[in-house]
């Protein structure tokens, strides 16, 4: 199978959103997806809030990795990998590993001292893959989210 890992283009965002929804459906959270194609285009291409890499297989986007810069008070500028998604039908083909390597290269090329992301504790294959690449799973750290209702409650 031939594929290309490349930076996403504005016109790829409809297929990127399909991937996002596929992952959300797999995790039984499809109703939680609120982002739109217009949001992705605006935030990624007009505002530069993220970089997206895609796995292009004969003109179809079969995988994506979305990253952005964060700032760590301990490490300085870091790269955060928000999501790495490969269509279920394409898993095991090497697309995920190729996207992962592109993210690592991106971080290296930008001189960051850390690349960080969250992985579901139930995703044993991903955890094993990440650990085999030298990544460390930080069991003692908990991811915290405050959703819109909590935000509204705390501004009153």
């Amino acid at each position: 199978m031939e594929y290309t890992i490349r930076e996403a283009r504005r016109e790829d965002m409809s297929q990127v959103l399909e991937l996002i929804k596929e992952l959300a459906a797999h995790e039984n959270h499809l109703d939680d997806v609120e982002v739109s194609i217009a949001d992705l285009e605006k935030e990624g291409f007009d505002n530069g809030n993220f970089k997206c890499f895609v796995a292009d297989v004969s003109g179809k986007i079969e995988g994506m990795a979305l990253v952005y810069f964060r700032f760590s008070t301990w490490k300085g500028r870091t790269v955060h990998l928000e999501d790495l998604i490969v269509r279920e039908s394409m898993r095991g083909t090497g697309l995920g590993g190729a996207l992962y390597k592109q993210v690592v290269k991106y971080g290296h090329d930008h001189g960051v001292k850390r690349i960080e992301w969250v992985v579901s504790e139930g995703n044993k294959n991903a955890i094993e893959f990440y650990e085999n690449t030298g990544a460390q799973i930080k069991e003692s750290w908990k991811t915290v989210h405050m959703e819109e209702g909590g935000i509204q409650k705390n501004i009153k």
Side-chain angles (χ1 to χ4, degrees):
M1 172 187 64
E2 290 188 34
Y3 61 86
T4 303
I5 304 299
R6 61 172 174 80
E7 285 189 25
R9 298 184 287 258
R10 185 181 292 269
E11 59 267 23
D12 296 328
M13 291 303 101
S14 63
Q15 291 182 76
V16 166
L17 184 56
E18 286 175 18
L19 286 164
I20 293 167
K21 288 181 176 180
E22 182 177 313
L23 175 64
H26 175 76
E27 294 181 357
N28 295 316
H29 286 280
L30 183 56
D31 291 341
D32 292 340
V33 176
E34 297 178 16
V35 72
S36 68
I37 295 168
D39 294 331
L40 292 169
E41 290 175 348
K42 177 183 175 190
E43 297 303 332
F45 297 92
D46 299 337
N47 295 343
N49 285 327
F50 65 81
K51 178 76 67 179
C52 185
F53 300 102
V54 295
D56 184 325
V57 181
S58 302
K60 183 175 182 190
I61 306 304
E62 298 286 4
M64 60 80 86
L66 191 144
V67 300
Y68 54 88
F69 290 109
R70 293 176 60 176
F71 189 84
S72 165
T73 56
W74 292 2
K75 298 291 182 183
R77 190 163 75 150
T78 67
V79 167
H80 182 83
L81 171 58
E82 180 63 25
D83 269 318
L84 192 158
I85 306 168
V86 174
R87 287 190 199 278
E88 191 167 357
S89 63
M90 298 299 287
R91 292 185 188 148
T93 63
L95 292 181
L99 285 162
Y100 180 76
K101 285 182 180 181
Q102 181 62 46
V103 169
V104 173
K105 181 181 182 315
Y106 179 75
H108 176 268
D109 291 351
H110 285 86
V112 301
K113 295 182 179 143
R114 179 190 295 157
I115 301 170
E116 55 200 353
W117 62 97
V118 176
V119 61
S120 169
E121 65 185 354
N123 194 343
K124 302 296 184 200
N125 291 338
I127 291 169
E128 182 179 339
F129 172 81
Y130 294 143
E131 288 177 332
N132 286 337
T133 67
Q136 302 169 356
I137 308 300
K138 301 290 189 182
E139 301 287 343
S140 62
W141 291 81
K142 302 290 184 192
T143 301
V144 179
H145 288 181
M146 180 180 288
E147 302 293 337
E148 191 173 10
I151 295 167
Q152 292 299 323
K153 178 182 175 183
N154 281 281
I155 64 168
K156 294 179 180 179

